[in-house]
Amino acid sequence: MSSDLKLAPGPRGLKEILVLIGERRKNPLELYLRLVRDYGDLVYFKVGSIGYALVNDPGAIRWVMQENQDNFPKGPGYDRLRTVVGNGLLT
């Protein structure tokens, strides 16, 4: 059975992901700017079994954060931060 589901562009493959991890440790802002420059306003990549989406388009951000928030839960890593930052928006 085939699927019409298409993933947003982004880094793929072990080598690219390892480079991404290294860049994030050194300068996360520069990494995110480069990903948007290289792949566009919606970037998808996986580190291990966890998928990440980088959304840079204001309309898409509004759709995710305000209009359709129930379909985009905070990940398990956020549970550890919840006691410090609460249930609000973390950017």
Side-chain angles (χ1 to χ4, degrees), residues 3-12 42-46 51-52:
S3 172
D4 291 335
L5 179 67
K6 294 182 181 178
L7 296 177
R12 303 287 191 266
L42 181 59
V43 181
Y44 178 82
F45 57 92
K46 286 181 83 170
Y52 295 89

